[in-house]
Amino acid sequence: MIDAIVNSVLGYYSHRMKDAGSDLIKAQYSICVRHVPLVYIILLTSVWGVALTCKEMAPGWIVFTAPVAFSVVFCARIWHWFNQHANMVRTEAARKALARTKLMGVVLPIIFTVWALVLFDFANHLGRLNIAYFMAISGCCIVVFLMHLRIAAYQVAMIVYVPLVLRLFITGEAEFVTMGISLSIAAVLLLMVVYIQSFHFRDAINSKAELQKASEYNRKLANLDSLTGLPNRRQFFANLNSEIDMASKNNRRLAIGIIDLDGFKAVNDLYGHKSGDQLLVQVAERLTKVLGLGVLVSRLGGDEFALLIKNRNSDAELMLKGEQICVVLKQPFSIDDGTVTISASIGYAVFPDVAKTAHDLYECADYALYQNKRGNRGYPGLFAKEQANEIESRCRIEQAMQTADLEKELAVYFQPIVDAHSHRVVAFEALARWHSDKVGPVPPSVFIPIAERSGRINQITQLLLKKALKAAATWPDDICLSFNLSAHDVSSSERALKLAAILMKSGVNPKRIDFEITETAAMGNMGQTQTAILALKSLGCGISLDDFGTGFSSLSQLHAFPLTTIKVDRSFVADLDKKPASYKIVKSLLSLSRDMGVECIVEGVETAEEMEVVKQLGARLVQGYFWSPPVSETELGEILTTHKAPNQWQEKELKTGGQKQ
């Protein structure tokens, strides 16, 4: 029967607190952990104070039975609350603990008040004053300590003060009546304070909860990509550092993958940023779907995504999963403006096989991606330990470039462009060569990408252009200069104007200059590139499109540029006499150039057989080792004198090569 009543009362209190939020419940419980033990100590002091006051005035069993029982209960409760940990309890457990506290706030004050008022009848005048004092002061302290639990505070105040005040009035003595009136006023004011402060407490807790929610929301925003909803670069590296720590402790492997979309910039430039954003969202959805929950997909920025692979990360499994990703991303995407197709390249790196830190692991994956985009675009690649030496070498070169005297160390070599029928040299292409005082000769295929990443490419371009123009100024007027520009050089009008200023200052006729840009550079930012190229074209310079056919542009995009020449990439010319596919491609490109009304240069001609086929296809201008490798300015004497390129190198093993500048 008693258990049923207790459970019913507890259920009532718990129900009353259901509308309270978990933050408020936990805050109230946290204060209880600190305050309730003090409440019991005050009660214990008051009980024994009343008992000692009345020990000579009332029967012993009435005086001491209650204090002994209270002492046992109070000490047990004090021990209980001292062993609670507010930050570890769950909301429901805290709710039940508060309900029990409110129940105890009814039971104990009733017992204490009844016992004290019984003794009040036995006590003399002084004893009654002491009993009233202990009841009043303990009630006041308990109400203050339970202020955050308004119901409990009200219960204690009503149970203690109402019977006490009535009993004081019943005595009829002026002194006790005056005390009763004072206690009544004090109790009312105290309850008003409790009412006000409890609301302030609730508002403070609710405000804190809202602030925490806002902070959590802002934290999520700071760690999520707003477009795709994926973790961003910051969150990716935070997760990577955490997972590396766990992998180190558990002695297990961990892999990351860096994904770069091939052809995304062309889509972005052709259809606009809105369509580009739609494409990125769909890419994120496909990656999440194909990889499942075992892989964390993040967007690092632009068209670059990252994978954090915590399991199933053997080399074979990584490559298989990478091939699946590449296949999925090669499937057409539907956007508002139509259907587009792209591809993706992936670079993998595995911890602890190739790196021990998050930064080094990312660098390895990024290097694997870079190498893949150069030689195996559209497929996954895994960083091998052997490539660590290449990264170290690249770092040394980058450090050397930062402190290099480029004016002294950079040189320009020249390779003739020849009329296939008359063998007459019509132009020279300027090619960069760097002999570092610290690391020795560095091929253009190595130092130019490093210069682009480090931001020194514009300085290098300007230095090389000055050297090339100085040499061209000594050539016959009918020999032109072909000069390569990087994507950075045509990324703004200001940079193009600096090149124009160098050209005008050199005294060389701008009509003798052809500026070459690669197809991928032209597609990087069509608007700015077009403006920069038009600025150079307005001077009378020619504009050549290098490596034609290897990028991702469409013919409609190429018509946006004022081209005067296209250059057939050497990859189509190699073994032209033995590969029917290459033959058809070169034939088509030559026909296309005639239809577009632009000149066509076939580069990479290395053998007599290739030269013969090129002539049969109707090519007029050719370039390659069949005629001459790149040579220094001092070696141009015979060629400039005869206007003809020697072909004495045509049977030699070709050892020199590399990226142009």
Side-chain angles (χ1 to χ4, degrees), residues 96 105 175 189 195 224 254 292 294 421 435 444 468 478 627:
K96 291 180 179 179
E175 188 177 2
L189 294 175
Y195 181 82
L224 289 179
L254 174 73
H421 301 286
H435 193 288
D478 58 348
W627 295 106

Side-chain angles (χ1 to χ4, degrees), residues 130-429:
N130 286 334
I131 291 173
Y133 167 79
F134 280 117
M135 290 183 67
I137 198 68
S138 60
C140 179
C141 292
I142 293 171
V143 168
V144 170
F145 280 126
L146 295 181
M147 188 178 295
H148 61 287
L149 286 176
R150 192 171 65 209
I151 293 177
Y154 286 172
Q155 291 172 170
V156 171
M158 297 299 291
I159 292 171
V160 173
Y161 284 111
V162 171
L164 175 61
V165 170
L166 289 176
R167 188 67 184 85
L168 292 173
F169 284 163
I170 290 173
T171 62
E173 298 180 23
E175 188 177 2
F176 286 119
V177 171
T178 303
M179 182 183 294
I181 294 172
S182 299
L183 286 176
S184 299
I185 296 172
V188 170
L189 294 175
L190 183 60
L191 291 180
M192 290 177 61
V193 171
V194 169
Y195 181 82
I196 295 171
Q197 291 301 319
S198 66
F199 273 104
H200 287 170
F201 176 77
R202 288 172 178 263
D203 289 343
I205 295 301
N206 291 333
S207 298
K208 182 180 179 182
E210 291 298 323
L211 182 60
Q212 287 177 337
K213 288 180 181 178
S215 298
E216 180 65 18
Y217 179 71
N218 290 332
R219 188 191 67 79
K220 288 182 178 179
L221 286 182
N223 290 285
L224 289 179
D225 174 55
S226 58
L227 177 63
T228 63
L230 296 175
N232 59 14
R233 175 181 288 270
R234 175 189 296 177
Q235 186 63 33
F236 170 75
F237 279 102
N239 291 332
L240 180 56
N241 279 305
S242 175
E243 291 297 331
I244 284 179
D245 290 340
M246 293 180 62
S248 299
K249 294 176 182 177
N250 299 325
N251 194 28
R252 61 178 174 84
R253 296 177 100 215
L254 174 73
I256 66 168
I258 309 298
I259 302 175
D260 188 78
L261 304 181
D262 304 318
F264 170 76
K265 289 184 179 179
V267 173
N268 210 33
D269 292 336
L270 182 61
Y271 297 106
H273 291 293
K274 180 181 177 181
S275 296
D277 290 346
Q278 291 176 353
L279 177 58
L280 290 173
V281 170
Q282 293 184 48
V283 167
E285 291 173 350
R286 289 190 187 183
L287 288 174
T288 304
K289 184 176 180 180
V290 73
L291 292 168
L293 299 177
V295 178
L296 178 66
V297 183
S298 304
R299 182 186 175 211
L300 301 182
D303 60 344
E304 191 174 53
F305 294 81
L307 311 177
L308 178 53
I309 307 166
K310 295 181 282 187
N311 49 29
R312 299 189 305 277
N313 49 32
S314 69
D315 293 353
E317 288 173 319
L318 289 175
M319 296 302 289
L320 178 61
K321 183 60 68 175
E323 290 172 1
Q324 292 174 351
I325 293 171
C326 291
V327 169
V328 167
L329 295 183
K330 283 179 182 177
Q331 297 173 7
F333 291 86
S334 295
I335 57 176
D336 290 345
D337 296 311
T339 301
V340 296
T341 302
I342 60 171
S343 63
S345 301
I346 307 176
Y348 283 121
V350 179
F351 169 90
D353 298 8
V354 298
K356 297 292 193 297
T357 67
H359 176 268
D360 292 344
L361 195 64
Y362 175 82
E363 286 295 316
C364 291
D366 189 54
Y367 187 80
L369 171 66
Y370 169 74
Q371 293 294 91
N372 234 38
K373 288 180 73 71
R374 291 181 62 191
N376 198 26
R377 187 185 293 264
Y379 293 93
L382 182 65
F383 184 88
K385 291 182 179 180
E386 295 76 17
Q387 291 176 307
N389 294 330
E390 298 177 24
I391 291 183
E392 185 179 351
S393 175
R394 187 178 68 176
C395 291
R396 286 199 304 269
I397 293 171
E398 189 166 353
Q399 290 295 321
M401 180 172 287
Q402 293 299 325
T403 58
D405 183 356
L406 296 178
E407 177 74 36
K408 182 186 74 172
E409 297 176 12
L410 281 174
V412 181
Y413 275 52
F414 301 91
Q415 187 174 36
I417 299 172
V418 182
D419 186 309
H421 301 286
S422 66
H423 299 183
R424 180 178 174 276
V425 174
V426 299
F428 288 103
E429 179 178 4

Side-chain angles (χ1 to χ4, degrees), residues 338-567:
T339 301
V340 296
T341 302
I342 60 171
S343 63
S345 301
I346 307 176
Y348 283 121
V350 179
F351 169 90
D353 298 8
V354 298
K356 297 292 193 297
T357 67
H359 176 268
D360 292 344
L361 195 64
Y362 175 82
E363 286 295 316
C364 291
D366 189 54
Y367 187 80
L369 171 66
Y370 169 74
Q371 293 294 91
N372 234 38
K373 288 180 73 71
R374 291 181 62 191
N376 198 26
R377 187 185 293 264
Y379 293 93
L382 182 65
F383 184 88
K385 291 182 179 180
E386 295 76 17
Q387 291 176 307
N389 294 330
E390 298 177 24
I391 291 183
E392 185 179 351
S393 175
R394 187 178 68 176
C395 291
R396 286 199 304 269
I397 293 171
E398 189 166 353
Q399 290 295 321
M401 180 172 287
Q402 293 299 325
T403 58
D405 183 356
L406 296 178
E407 177 74 36
K408 182 186 74 172
E409 297 176 12
L410 281 174
V412 181
Y413 275 52
F414 301 91
Q415 187 174 36
I417 299 172
V418 182
D419 186 309
H421 301 286
S422 66
H423 299 183
R424 180 178 174 276
V425 174
V426 299
F428 288 103
E429 179 178 4
L431 301 170
R433 295 295 182 265
W434 179 33
H435 193 288
S436 168
D437 289 343
K438 294 183 178 179
V439 296
V442 185
S445 59
V446 175
F447 78 77
I448 289 178
I450 291 175
E452 290 177 334
R453 286 194 296 271
S454 64
R456 299 202 72 181
I457 187 63
N458 300 117
Q459 178 190 2
I460 289 176
T461 298
Q462 294 170 22
L463 284 173
L464 292 173
L465 181 59
K466 291 177 182 177
K467 291 175 180 286
L469 288 171
K470 183 178 180 180
T474 65
W475 301 342
D477 291 342
D478 58 348
I479 295 183
C480 298
L481 170 68
S482 185
F483 188 86
N484 291 273
L485 300 178
S486 77
H488 294 264
D489 298 320
V490 291
S491 62
S492 69
S493 300
E494 291 77 13
R495 290 170 180 172
L497 290 176
K498 288 182 180 180
L499 299 178
I502 294 172
L503 173 57
M504 299 307 295
K505 188 176 181 179
S506 70
V508 177
N509 190 339
K511 294 182 179 180
R512 293 177 56 200
I513 308 301
D514 273 346
F515 285 110
E516 293 189 23
I517 59 171
T518 63
E519 190 173 348
T520 51
M523 296 302 107
N525 189 318
M526 286 188 63
Q528 292 181 346
T529 302
Q530 188 178 25
T531 302
I533 290 175
L534 285 172
L536 296 174
K537 180 69 182 298
S538 65
L539 299 176
C541 302
I543 304 297
S544 297
L545 188 66
D546 198 8
D547 301 336
F548 183 67
T550 60
F552 292 89
S553 60
S554 65
L555 295 179
S556 61
Q557 290 170 288
L558 294 181
H559 276 297
F561 298 100
L563 300 177
T564 56
T565 307
I566 60 175
K567 298 188 74 172

